[in-house]
Amino acid sequence: MLNDFIIVESAISAFNNVALWTPAFLWWTILTLPLFVVIYWCADTIMTRIGWTRENILNRATVWVAGLTCAWIVMFGGNYAVLRDSLSVLPMMTMIILFLTSLFVSSHLRDHALPRMNWWRWGLVIIAIVAVGLSDTHTWWGPIAQIGALILGVLLGRVAHGAMRPFGGLVLIMMMVAIAILMQPEFFRFGQLGNLTLIHLTAILALGCMCMIIIAVQNINPRNKIRHGVYIKLKWLMRVVCALGVALFILTEAVPVFIGTMVAVFLSIALSVWHADRVNVILGDKMFAIALMTFGAITVMPVITTIGILYWVNTDNAKIWAETKQLL
């Protein structure tokens, strides 16, 4: 009972469980609200300084968010000692996210000529590769897998015939990060050795639901071909399924339940879009901006939240609440 290892592990577990009940990402967001208000007021000046316009902000913003997510995965990696499970698929998840982010960025930069390499550029490349390798050193094959995923994504992006779709590609990346956080929240600093709180789970659910709305609005055309009586019955059925999924997810925190709930939410939103005679496509842009802000808050990356604010300012106005209620 008085073994040093057990005492230390118990102390760490107690400390981490207490820390988990304080959602740092939420307090960070609240404390930085004045900064975000200033960014909102000065959005035009910031856009002019960085050379972004309403025409190119979508591509610029998505490339930056994907690149920052890639760096976030690498810099937050390596601390496998905090994992609550001895066996984890976390290396595979980080590999997939590294591959997707590098593929996204490389596919959007494929038309840009590679810079002429000199000694300091080669040095930066070597430092980046070493950092990626050090993000997974818990097994001998960890660095090889991570570096391979990054290089494969870059190469496939360069030879691709077209760039990944901005909305679809980035929504996929954000959903993969959300799933990874749910699988190993202690690894991504959401908390350690304890259950997530309602605030953590609500933030993940909000991000997932916004991603589903974006996909539905951007990819499904309104048809208005469902009889109103049939639509009402189907809609209430989907609402009940979604509510049960949300309740079960809050109780279990299970990744399969989260994925199933998001599928149900997508089908519910898709049904509303298909039934409507018209849907304001600006809703997809606004939801994308809010999703970026939420994603930046969850991952504690204020730059991504800032990008979301800039994207919000540079999209047309829309009655967000009224349009969203129509879909719900």
Side-chain angles (χ1 to χ4, degrees):
M1 290 179 60
L2 298 179
N3 182 277
D4 292 343
F5 179 77
I6 294 177
I7 294 173
V8 172
E9 284 296 314
S10 300
I12 292 175
S13 178
F15 173 80
N16 289 331
N17 284 335
V18 172
L20 181 60
W21 283 91
T22 304
F25 79 96
L26 176 63
W27 310 134
W28 167 86
T29 304
I30 293 173
L31 288 172
T32 50
L33 279 178
L35 174 62
F36 295 144
V37 171
V38 172
I39 292 170
Y40 179 82
W41 285 341
C42 303
D44 293 337
T45 303
I46 296 173
M47 292 281 292
T48 303
R49 286 299 185 98
I50 62 179
W52 290 10
T53 63
R54 292 174 68 94
E55 289 73 29
N56 66 19
I57 187 172
L58 178 60
N59 287 331
R60 299 283 181 89
T62 51
V63 168
W64 269 99
V65 172
L68 289 169
T69 304
C70 181
W72 181 79
I73 286 291
V74 172
M75 295 178 70
F76 270 74
N79 192 15
Y80 283 83
V82 303
L83 295 183
R84 70 180 100 179
D85 301 320
S86 57
L87 296 176
S88 172
V89 296
L90 180 63
M92 302 303 172
M93 288 298 299
T94 55
M95 248 172 50
I96 293 172
I97 296 172
L98 271 175
F99 172 75
L100 289 175
T101 51
S102 59
L103 175 64
F104 187 94
V105 174
S106 181
S107 68
H108 280 266
L109 299 180
R110 74 191 191 285
D111 295 330
H112 292 71
L114 294 174
R116 177 177 294 180
M117 301 301 292
N118 51 30
W119 66 270
W120 66 268
R121 285 197 174 101
W122 279 116
L124 291 177
V125 171
I126 292 173
I127 291 173
I129 292 177
V130 170
V132 172
L134 291 176
S135 68
D136 184 2
T137 56
H138 77 298
T139 58
W140 66 267
W141 52 266
I144 299 174
Q146 303 300 320
I147 294 172
L150 180 71
I151 294 176
L152 181 63
V154 171
L155 293 178
L156 291 180
R158 294 295 298 183
V159 301
H161 295 293
M164 289 183 69
R165 297 176 64 181
F167 285 115
L170 205 58
V171 163
L172 177 61
I173 291 171
M174 290 191 291
M175 289 298 295
M176 291 302 297
V177 171
I179 292 172
I181 290 175
L182 287 175
M183 292 170 60
Q184 302 292 351
E186 66 277 18
F187 186 85
F188 293 106
R189 310 306 189 269
F190 238 13
Q192 298 174 3
L193 305 176
N195 295 326
L196 295 177
T197 65
L198 183 61
I199 296 176
H200 295 93
L201 298 176
T202 301
I204 293 290
L205 280 172
L207 176 63
C209 290
M210 284 182 284
C211 288
M212 296 304 102
I213 293 175
I214 294 167
I215 296 174
V217 171
Q218 294 291 331
N219 295 280
I220 298 176
N221 296 322
R223 299 293 186 182
N224 194 20
K225 290 186 176 181
I226 306 177
R227 286 192 304 171
H228 188 69
V230 175
Y231 167 75
I232 293 297
K233 293 182 178 65
L234 289 175
K235 190 63 182 177
W236 274 108
L237 175 63
M238 294 308 303
R239 286 170 181 164
V240 171
V241 171
C242 292
L244 291 175
V246 169
L248 187 59
F249 171 67
I250 291 175
L251 292 173
T252 63
E253 302 180 22
V255 172
V257 176
F258 174 74
I259 296 174
T261 303
M262 290 303 102
V263 171
V265 170
F266 171 76
L267 293 176
S268 178
I269 301 299
L271 180 66
S272 298
V273 175
W274 199 48
H275 172 69
D277 19 356
R278 61 170 295 278
V279 172
N280 190 354
V281 293
I282 302 300
L283 177 63
D285 290 309
K286 291 297 187 183
M287 281 295 169
F288 186 67
I290 299 174
L292 290 181
M293 297 180 211
T294 307
F295 184 68
I298 290 174
T299 55
V300 196
M301 286 195 283
V303 177
I304 292 183
T305 303
T306 299
I307 291 174
I309 295 171
L310 295 179
Y311 192 82
W312 174 279
V313 173
N314 285 274
T315 53
D316 296 331
N317 294 325
K319 297 178 180 178
I320 301 300
W321 179 238
E323 297 280 351
T324 305
K325 283 198 302 182
Q326 180 184 353
L327 298 181
L328 297 177

